[in-house]
Amino acid sequence: MHFKREFDFVKLSKPAFIFSIVLTIAGIIALSAFGLNYGVDFRAGSNVDVKLSKNVTAEEIQPVLSAIGVAKEDAHITPGDQRVNIRFTKVLQEDQDEKLKAEIQKLDKSASFEINTVDPEMAKELGRNAIYAVLISCIGIIIYVSIRFEWRFALAAIVALLHDAFMVVAIFSIFRLEVSLTFIVAVLTIIGYSINDTIVIFDRIRENLRFGKQKTREDLAKLLNHSVNQMLMRSLYTAFTVFIAAFFLFLFGGESIKMFSLAMVIGLIFGAYSSIFIASPLWLLFKYKQKPNRKAVKPSKA
Amino acid sequence: MKRIATFIIVVLVAAGIMAWSTPGLLNGVRLGLDLKGGFEILYEASPLEAGQKITKQSLTRTAESLEKRANALGTSEPEVTTEGTNRIRLKIAGVTNEAEVRKKMKEPASLTFRSAEGCKAPAENAQPKDIYCKVELVGSDFVENGASVGYDQLNQPVIDIKVKDKKKFADVTKRLIGKNLAIFLDDNMLSDPTVRQELTDGKAQISGSYSIEEAKQIRDTINLGALPLKLTEKYSQSVGATLGKQSLQKTIEAGIIGSIVILLFMIAMYRLPGIIASFGLIVHTWLLILVFVWADFTLTLPGVAAFILGIGMAVDANIITNERIREEIRNGRSITSAVKAGNKSSFRTILDSNITTIIVGAVMFAFGTGAVKGFALVLIVEIVLSILTNVYLTHFLLSLLVKGELLKKPKQFGVKESEINAL
């Protein structure tokens, strides 16, 4: 596939900016209004996943819980296909989880368990570490890209990267999707992918900048459009293949990485989108600022 | 012809090695607990006495002691690692008597000698641990594996213990002559004999009306290793073996389906170069497994996810190269020079974009814990391997085919004659 005509991405970037800003505001509202739907990892208590050889109903499980001395309101049962999830709001004591296992094994001999006991402090700490990791990564990226390219590329790439990460968080908040520890891993991966995707396009802009002198704004806009168009098929193909990988993980992967894959799928779409519609036009905006007054703006380590 | 022969030999030899070694390698991959079942506990350590500090040394010693206990209980390959300044992560796979192991691990079994010096006057019916508030000697003051069962004059079983620093013990006993020196195992008082004289031989005796079995049990608990620090469980995960296997199987299935779709897409898009790209991707995956086995990395579920996603990202390197070659052909270059130029300029692009991703991965590895660390590790290894296979190897194979004149028409690169601009 090869497009004969070139798309005007500079023009298209306006609605894209509006779209992203609207979504960002919606995300901020959603986040401040109802926050995130934290999964087990962020709430104290115990989480029990049981794999069974048959389907059970919540009614069948309830007596088991009474037998181990857990009040009805302290446990939440979610039956699934040949599996059941029980979420306890209090941490199960050692003898309790043994009893629970024994009781459920009475219902089904081949039951297999996954029991997690969580101290929410740990998950929060991991989340905090992840935020630090992102910020420190940003500094690393700024330094590297400023050396290899220039600071305008670095800044534009960082904005796009934070945009992608925030979009995933926002969508998870708006649609009340469950946030677990793997979600943090997913957001970090998206950041890795997003920067990778953006740099490839920037590389082409850098290359095209070498040929010929761009004097006016029109020249720059034309150069940008040309560069993005040159990389368009690559961007689409790559986004498609990575999307395929994440999508199949979401569709067929194990229960524990479903939400991870979903976050990846959403993030990948935004990552491909932001490279073209956010990062590149932003670079152009920064570059415009430089042109009229001859004095170059000092690089800032934002 | 020589080049074609080289190409065929390289491909056949590589394919042969991969086919021959893969089954063995797959068995050699060390699987994480989430994939094979087992349990993981994260402990937070605190000093035995308030006000004491946790040193790097005491944390390491606690970890070693935990490992000893796990080994003594006959578990296979327990993994004990220290984290940060006050945490210890314990992983034990394939345990059948989980509850017992857990209890034994957690039992601090810390032997202490305490006195009532400087303590508040005991309230009525106060617990012994409240009466004897001052810790005189801690577990690490006693000789390791030094406890033994003996008999006193009345032929009652007693437990003999040895103190490492005779002088310290002498000082303590001298100071406490006429007072009680209580012997505690954790918070349970075993006995509180009155000190009659200064003890200079560094030997102490725990007596009580123990049966021989009880005495032996106490001896074993003491010898299992007193933990220099107190541990509390912060996080625990226990995965049943069936559940772990199911997760692994499902994820691998999803990965295989995804990979096949990607490979088919590459071949459909790029024809013969697409086949080379697919070959590069397969070698890439094989190398990744090889690195895992050689470096003895543990593969966890997030690792598998990174693994499969990394394949998607490795495809990018091939796409960039092939798109670049197409572009050069469209600009009117000959096939030979287009492939050369395409390989060269795509290399820089791939390097820059991959290095930035490695920076992200390295930061994740440095700051992350547990799942994040495992994920970052796979990501970094994968990017490095991707540069080797999807840049060097595929570029090499492609140029062999071009020089061997097997690839000479633009059509073979998926470029129509009508798209080519004259120079």
Side-chain angles (χ1 to χ4, degrees):
Chain A
M1 211 176 4
H2 177 59
F3 295 116
K4 265 275 162 212
R5 60 177 274 256
E6 293 205 333
F7 296 99
D8 189 352
F9 288 106
V10 177
K11 217 165 144 193
L12 285 170
S13 70
K14 265 185 204 121
F17 275 3
I18 294 170
F19 170 72
S20 283
I21 291 169
V22 168
L23 213 55
T24 307
I25 293 170
I28 293 171
I29 293 171
L31 267 178
S32 48
F34 19 83
L36 285 167
N37 175 20
Y38 286 116
V40 287
D41 298 333
F42 292 92
R43 283 178 285 155
S46 290
N47 186 55
V48 180
D49 256 313
V50 193
K51 191 197 164 289
L52 303 154
S53 59
K54 59 181 181 194
N55 285 339
V56 292
T57 59
E59 286 72 38
E60 283 175 83
I61 298 293
Q62 196 58 57
V64 173
L65 301 184
S66 314
I68 62 164
V70 173
K72 199 167 182 176
E73 60 274 11
D74 285 338
H76 186 71
I77 306 168
T78 323
D81 182 31
Q82 297 201 351
R83 60 189 300 141
V84 63
N85 172 278
I86 313 168
R87 168 76 194 159
F88 297 92
T89 51
K90 287 185 189 123
V91 173
L92 280 184
Q93 299 306 311
E94 252 163 68
D95 49 327
Q96 271 183 319
D97 61 2
E98 283 311 305
K99 266 192 221 151
L100 178 76
K101 279 187 185 177
E103 288 289 333
I104 289 181
Q105 256 152 1
K106 273 187 210 159
L107 286 176
D108 183 350
K109 269 209 188 92
S110 64
S112 178
F113 299 85
E114 172 165 350
I115 301 176
N116 282 302
T117 297
V118 183
D119 183 328
E121 275 307 307
M122 292 306 304
K124 276 186 200 144
E125 191 183 298
L126 202 79
R128 253 199 317 274
N129 279 350
I131 292 173
Y132 292 145
V134 171
L135 295 179
I136 295 167
S137 307
C138 285
I139 295 171
I141 291 166
I142 287 181
I143 295 170
Y144 183 76
V145 176
S146 297
I147 294 170
R148 294 285 293 165
F149 296 77
E150 57 161 351
W151 67 271
R152 288 182 191 83
F153 285 111
L155 203 60
I158 298 286
V159 173
L161 166 164
L162 294 177
H163 162 269
D164 299 342
F166 184 75
M167 283 306 155
V168 181
V169 176
I171 286 185
F172 265 65
S173 170
I174 293 169
F175 292 100
R176 313 301 308 139
L177 299 169
E178 199 178 273
V179 173
S180 64
L181 281 185
T182 50
F183 177 78
I184 293 172
V185 178
V187 171
L188 291 172
T189 324
I190 289 159
I191 287 171
Y193 170 79
S194 164
I195 189 75
N196 189 302
D197 198 61
T198 307
I199 295 298
V200 171
I201 293 179
F202 281 180
D203 173 76
R204 181 54 64 97
I205 298 176
R206 173 178 66 176
E207 189 183 319
N208 286 337
L209 274 172
R210 287 209 190 117
F211 308 114
K213 287 238 175 289
Q214 287 78 31
K215 290 234 164 61
T216 61
R217 287 175 163 226
E218 285 70 39
D219 287 343
L220 276 174
K222 222 167 126 188
L223 173 124
L224 179 95
N225 262 332
H226 188 55
S227 307
V228 176
N229 273 293
Q230 277 179 322
M231 297 314 280
L232 190 60
M233 282 340 288
R234 170 265 157 191
S235 292
L236 286 179
Y237 290 162
T238 299
F240 175 73
T241 47
V242 188
F243 174 81
I244 288 283
F247 186 68
F248 277 104
L249 268 187
F250 171 63
L251 224 52
F252 304 118
E255 208 65 33
S256 37
I257 54 167
K258 265 225 147 77
M259 279 298 142
F260 170 86
S261 322
L262 183 64
M264 285 298 309
V265 169
I266 297 169
L268 292 174
I269 296 171
F270 275 107
Y273 154 87
S274 75
S275 300
I276 295 176
F277 294 101
I278 305 289
S280 306
L282 261 185
W283 169 80
L284 192 64
L285 273 181
F286 296 149
K287 197 79 182 163
Y288 278 165
K289 288 256 164 67
Q290 176 203 23
K291 282 286 155 181
N293 50 352
R294 274 277 155 208
K295 269 183 248 156
V297 188
K298 275 266 164 225
S300 63
K301 293 236 161 87
Chain B
M1 262 336 268
K2 221 176 91 194
R3 262 129 189 175
I4 302 297
T6 317
F7 176 84
I8 292 171
I9 289 168
V10 169
V11 172
L12 283 183
V13 169
I17 292 174
M18 288 193 292
W20 169 74
S21 63
T22 303
L25 280 180
L26 283 180
N27 284 330
V29 174
R30 186 211 282 251
L31 295 175
L33 299 175
D34 47 358
L35 298 178
K36 68 171 170 192
F39 69 91
E40 178 178 342
I41 305 170
L42 185 69
Y43 293 108
E44 194 168 85
S46 50
L48 291 175
E49 299 167 66
Q52 249 186 359
K53 278 208 175 121
I54 301 174
T55 58
K56 181 111 195 139
Q57 199 198 3
S58 65
L59 194 67
T60 320
R61 284 215 22 229
T62 311
E64 280 166 4
S65 183
L66 276 180
E67 197 167 344
K68 240 187 264 167
R69 286 172 182 219
N71 280 323
L73 289 164
T75 58
S76 68
E77 295 181 60
E79 239 184 277
V80 186
T81 44
T82 58
E83 259 173 38
T85 53
N86 64 342
R87 295 210 178 115
I88 297 172
R89 194 181 289 272
L90 165 78
K91 293 178 187 173
I92 300 181
V95 178
T96 40
N97 54 341
E98 190 195 314
E100 194 199 319
V101 171
R102 243 170 122 158
K103 202 166 149 245
K104 278 270 193 279
M105 296 307 295
K106 215 166 57 173
E107 247 173 26
S110 118
L111 189 68
T112 48
F113 279 18
R114 308 181 194 186
S115 72
E117 281 219 318
C119 299
K120 272 184 275 177
E124 221 169 301
N125 60 45
Q127 298 284 321
K129 65 171 181 175
D130 295 326
I131 301 170
Y132 299 105
C133 70
K134 186 174 179 208
V135 178
E136 301 283 359
L137 295 170
V138 295
S140 51
D141 287 326
F142 303 102
V143 175
E144 275 154 53
N145 283 321
S148 57
V149 174
Y151 297 93
D152 63 5
Q153 297 92 326
L154 300 168
N155 224 11
Q156 274 278 339
V158 292
I159 300 111
D160 291 314
I161 41 179
K162 288 181 213 144
V163 180
K164 277 185 198 161
D165 187 350
K166 285 179 188 168
K167 192 177 173 302
K168 190 175 175 186
F169 192 49
D171 289 347
V172 170
T173 45
K174 194 177 169 188
R175 179 157 44 83
L176 293 174
I177 287 174
K179 291 181 188 141
N180 287 1
L181 182 61
I183 301 169
F184 278 76
L185 192 59
D186 301 334
D187 281 338
N188 299 320
M189 190 173 75
L190 299 177
S191 66
D192 55 344
T194 310
V195 181
R196 308 233 175 264
Q197 67 203 62
E198 183 184 339
L199 298 169
T200 50
D201 59 353
K203 283 184 188 147
Q205 207 171 53
I206 305 170
S207 54
S209 28
Y210 300 122
S211 70
I212 182 80
E213 267 68 42
E214 281 169 336
K216 276 183 180 163
Q217 209 178 356
I218 293 172
R219 175 199 64 192
D220 288 346
T221 320
I222 293 171
N223 278 346
L224 247 172
L227 296 176
L229 298 167
K230 203 169 140 189
L231 299 176
T232 35
E233 281 188 19
K234 289 298 271 183
Y235 167 89
S236 73
Q237 184 187 34
S238 120
V239 182
T242 330
L243 199 70
K245 264 185 214 135
Q246 194 197 32
S247 292
L248 180 67
Q249 193 193 352
K250 269 192 170 174
T251 309
I252 287 180
E253 269 169 24
I256 290 174
I257 297 171
S259 304
I260 289 174
V261 173
I262 290 172
L263 295 188
L264 288 178
F265 170 80
M266 289 302 285
I267 295 170
M269 251 17 249
Y270 299 107
R271 325 283 159 89
L272 191 52
I275 295 176
I276 294 176
S278 302
F279 182 71
L281 289 171
I282 293 170
V283 176
H284 166 245
T285 312
W286 175 78
L287 271 178
L288 190 61
I289 300 171
L290 191 72
V291 169
F292 258 81
V293 174
W294 277 356
D296 203 20
F297 290 152
T298 304
L299 187 65
T300 56
L301 213 51
V304 174
F307 196 118
I308 292 161
L309 281 161
I311 293 174
M313 288 170 94
V315 176
D316 188 39
N318 286 300
I319 291 179
I320 290 172
T321 310
N322 281 305
E323 282 299 318
R324 186 70 194 219
I325 293 171
R326 280 183 173 183
E327 225 181 292
E328 301 290 350
I329 296 174
R330 282 191 199 111
N331 287 338
R333 285 197 190 226
S334 71
I335 300 291
T336 319
S337 98
V339 169
K340 218 171 158 186
N343 280 349
K344 209 179 135 205
S345 41
S346 64
F347 178 70
R348 203 194 45 202
T349 313
I350 295 165
L351 206 63
D352 267 338
S353 63
N354 282 356
I355 287 176
T356 28
T357 313
I358 286 184
I359 291 175
V360 177
V363 172
M364 269 160 72
F365 187 76
F367 284 83
T369 44
V372 177
K373 230 185 176 72
F375 184 86
L377 186 69
V378 180
L379 193 69
I380 295 170
V381 172
E382 197 150 32
I383 292 173
V384 173
L385 291 180
S386 164
I387 293 173
L388 285 181
T389 54
N390 298 300
V391 178
Y392 286 110
L393 180 70
T394 50
H395 286 187
F396 168 69
L397 289 178
L398 202 59
S399 36
L400 278 182
L401 284 190
V402 171
K403 283 179 194 149
E405 301 207 323
L406 216 70
L407 274 171
K408 51 188 174 184
K409 289 197 199 90
K411 230 181 112 182
Q412 288 169 307
F413 287 90
V415 176
K416 291 192 201 95
E417 298 281 349
S418 61
E419 290 171 1
I420 299 173
N421 305 319
L423 262 182

